[in-house]
Amino acid sequence: YHPDKQKADVPAGEVEERVQRFIEIDQAWKILGNEETKKEYDLQQREDNLTKDLPLHAQVYLEDMSWNEDEQCYTLSCRCGGNYTVFKSETKDVSLVCCDTCSLVIEIL
């Protein structure tokens, strides 16, 4: 796909497609090659996969969850008897949280 390695007999339309593919690969490398942007990308992918695979139970404000000082985390009881848990260190990075015993998910607002 590299533009400098194109053969002379490739049709113009195909060259354009290959250049576009090269640009896409370059953009992906820039995102995945940087630790911060890769982390953001991974979190977004995880969130997208959770919303596709698991049912969204509720939308909850972090302030409405119970704070546990000893464990430094927020918790919320699930209807199944399990818990949703968000550790203090995760509060800025997490928007979807799975129940620890069932497949339900809450969205943190």
Side-chain angles (χ1 to χ4, degrees), residues 1 6-22:
Y1 296 111
Q6 298 298 317
K7 294 180 182 175
D9 62 343
V10 176
E14 191 174 325
V15 169
E16 215 172 287
E17 288 175 20
R18 289 179 180 191
V19 169
Q20 183 59 39
R21 181 71 177 142
F22 176 79

Side-chain angles (χ1 to χ4, degrees), residues 42-106:
D42 289 344
L43 287 171
Q44 183 62 48
Q45 289 297 311
R46 181 174 180 258
E47 184 175 315
D48 291 347
N49 289 338
L50 283 174
T51 55
K52 288 179 196 169
D53 298 337
L54 303 171
L56 186 63
H57 174 63
Q59 294 179 316
V60 178
Y61 288 100
L62 192 61
E63 301 82 36
D64 294 335
M65 297 176 76
S66 300
W67 172 249
N68 182 321
E69 187 67 38
D70 294 336
E71 295 185 28
Q72 294 286 296
C73 66
Y74 294 91
T75 59
L76 180 72
S77 294
C78 180
R79 67 182 186 199
C80 75
N83 286 303
Y84 301 100
T85 304
V86 180
F87 290 95
K88 185 177 181 180
S89 60
E90 300 174 325
T91 56
K92 293 180 183 173
D93 298 329
V94 173
S95 61
L96 295 175
V97 180
C98 296
C99 174
D100 60 6
T101 59
C102 75
S103 64
L104 294 177
V105 175
I106 59 170

